[in-house]
Amino acid sequence: MRVRVGLVTAGAVLIAYAIVGTLTADPIGILVFLIAVLVAHDALWMPAVLLVVAVARTRRKKSERSRDSGAGPRGG
Amino acid sequence: MVRDDGPALIRRVVDWLRAPLPAPPAAIRRGPLAEGAFPSPLRSARLTSLVGVALGVAFAVCFLTGLISHLIQHPGGWFWWPSRPVSLYRVTQGLHVATGLACVPLLGVKLWSVYPRLFVWPPVRSLAHAAERAGVALLVAAALFQVVSGVLNIYHRYGPMPFFFTTGHYWVAWLSIGALLVHVGVQLPIARAALRRRRRPDEPPDHQRRRLLVGTAAAAALITVTTVGQTVRPLARLGLLAPRRPDEGPQGLPVNKTAAAAGITADPGYRLVIDGPDGEQSLDLAALNALPQHTVDLPIACVEGWSSTATWTGVRLRDLAALAGADPDHADVVVESLEQHGRYRVSTVPPEHTRDPLTLIALRLGGQILHPDHGYPARLIAPNRPGVLQTKWIGRLTVREIR
């Protein structure tokens, strides 16, 4: 527990240091870029990747099904 | 009798933070919020923890090497950086860029593995849960910020960044390391349990998940090796995210800022002004060439990770410091470029570099007069120093004795 409290406390101190430092730099520009990359990743990039993977998986299953049914025993 | 209210107060605050918040209406639990919206069986706490450990190590290496580079460029009074070994900076900065680029696949897989948690239900269970989620959002944003801005810097694409790259990258590095420590502190028990977990004898081996891990490791390793191609010539053609070639550019050496971009034109009346304890003097090119010339093999090591060794000829900076009337073993030199603007038009050469016989005011590269893009008529070349501090088109040296 002590290790965890130490890690969280040290992390919080570093975050505070970074925020103070950012305020002396270009806080608006940095904040805008932080939000932009987060939104771009979570709302655009990852959904797009998951969509592509889902479509590819569906197509593969379809082609496997059609191949299996085509290769099956034929009556006559 | 003394009442001890401290622990009771802390307990009350913790209870308040952990008190359940009202649940949102179930009707809005649709789309990605719906149960089973992310069915991939590849995701697991163990996979997330393993990739997380690799990412944590890469981030730590990247942070420390980046901090070294920052301190060399902006030294506080306490910081000291040696002039030897000559290639130390090229190693630390090469490592910085290579580990930073290796983070691209690691971060991609890590974020994919935890993406369903973005849509956890209920979205906020308590104030403590809200704070934890805010911390994770901060960590993800900072990590993406560092990787994306780093890659944009390698490609010299500054348009999408509404801030000065170096400053933003530096402060958000502190932010990401702070958020990482908080995250590790919060997730430590879960990660420990996941990493200690062993497959039960009756459990079938998970080949798909192993393939994913091996693929991620291979991608990170491939990017690292090809990034090294910016320095190691046989690997130069393989660079995917590292576009510089160590032998491309005027006189076989890459250039980041050209003379035209710096607004420098050849001046036949050029004179190097040297200011020191004995007053100010100026030397034209003939006078500089008449001084003892020395030839050294030194690398240019850029902050973007590429580096290339070349043969430089010129006057030792320590000889010019002595000419200015200073003790060259105890002097620093402010080097000013003819460039009118630019964040790196002035640099300071500390005493350990000034006294080093390898530090030159170079007049030749590979035996030829410097190409304008390499700093003609005169440039600084010193061992174990970032490329941005190897000032080009030198117009003035101010020698200061250090007591």
Side-chain angles (χ1 to χ4, degrees), chain B residues 89-361:
Chain B
Y89 181 76
R90 89 194 296 194
V91 172
T92 62
Q93 194 60 15
L95 202 57
H96 177 73
V97 174
T99 49
L101 290 177
C103 286
V104 173
L106 292 173
L107 187 61
V109 173
K110 167 85 177 171
L111 294 182
W112 167 83
S113 75
V114 293
Y115 191 60
R117 296 176 66 86
L118 183 62
F119 305 100
V120 70
W121 189 266
V124 178
R125 291 194 302 269
S126 62
L127 289 177
H129 184 224
E132 186 199 326
R133 297 205 71 185
V136 171
L138 187 66
L139 175 60
V140 174
L144 288 168
F145 182 108
Q146 290 302 86
V147 170
V148 173
S149 64
V151 171
L152 288 172
N153 179 54
I154 288 172
Y155 280 89
H156 290 184
R157 296 282 180 266
Y158 300 107
M161 295 188 274
F163 53 88
F164 176 50
F165 164 76
T166 309
T167 315
H169 202 66
Y170 173 72
W171 286 115
V172 177
W174 285 104
L175 198 62
S176 62
I177 283 297
L180 181 63
L181 289 181
V182 171
H183 183 64
V184 172
V186 171
Q187 297 292 334
L188 199 56
I190 297 168
R192 262 190 193 149
L195 292 172
R196 280 179 184 157
R197 184 181 173 274
R198 290 281 172 268
R199 187 162 53 88
R200 292 190 308 271
D202 59 327
E203 213 176 339
D206 194 341
H207 294 303
Q208 270 193 319
R209 205 170 280 159
R210 194 165 293 165
R211 270 203 296 270
L212 178 67
L213 270 175
V214 170
T216 307
L222 183 70
I223 288 177
T224 306
V225 168
T226 55
T227 305
V228 175
Q230 288 194 128
T231 293
V232 180
R233 293 185 187 208
L235 301 171
R237 299 285 160 201
L238 302 174
L240 302 172
L241 292 173
R244 299 292 181 288
R245 306 286 169 262
D247 54 355
E248 277 182 11
Q251 297 175 314
L253 195 66
V255 163
N256 268 359
K257 192 169 194 178
T258 63
I264 302 290
T265 49
D267 175 12
Y270 169 80
R271 298 183 80 85
L272 174 65
V273 178
I274 304 173
D275 193 7
D278 283 355
E280 197 175 284
Q281 52 191 308
S282 69
L283 304 174
D284 61 12
L285 268 176
L288 280 169
N289 277 299
L291 292 170
Q293 302 290 305
H294 299 273
T295 298
V296 299
D297 287 329
L298 282 181
I300 286 273
C302 185
V303 291
E304 293 146 21
W306 64 263
S307 60
S308 188
T309 299
T311 302
W312 308 87
T313 303
V315 185
R316 278 181 179 154
L317 188 60
R318 60 176 291 126
D319 292 349
L320 292 173
L323 192 69
D327 175 359
D329 288 329
H330 300 95
D332 71 7
V333 180
V334 178
V335 183
E336 288 178 61
S337 176
L338 294 168
E339 195 182 352
Q340 292 302 307
H341 306 285
R343 291 178 187 265
Y344 299 103
R345 62 171 295 278
V346 179
S347 71
T348 301
V349 184
E352 52 273 21
H353 285 77
T354 301
R355 75 171 72 100
D356 194 308
L358 292 181
T359 302
L360 300 183
I361 298 302

Side-chain angles (χ1 to χ4, degrees), chain A residues 31-64:
Chain A
L31 184 65
V32 165
F33 201 71
L34 275 168
I35 294 169
V37 288
L38 184 65
V39 170
H41 179 272
D42 286 355
L44 298 173
W45 169 255
M46 196 54 82
V49 168
L50 294 178
L51 190 68
V52 168
V53 171
V55 168
R57 191 173 289 161
T58 309
R59 279 191 173 182
R60 199 180 66 187
K61 277 183 184 167
K62 260 186 193 172
S63 70
E64 279 173 3

Side-chain angles (χ1 to χ4, degrees), chain A residues 3 5 7 9 11-14 18-20 22 24-25 47 54-55 57 61 63-64 71 73:
Chain A
V3 173
V5 170
L7 285 168
T9 307
V13 169
L14 292 185
I19 290 171
V20 171
T22 304
T24 63
V55 168
R57 191 173 289 161
K61 277 183 184 167
S63 70
E64 279 173 3

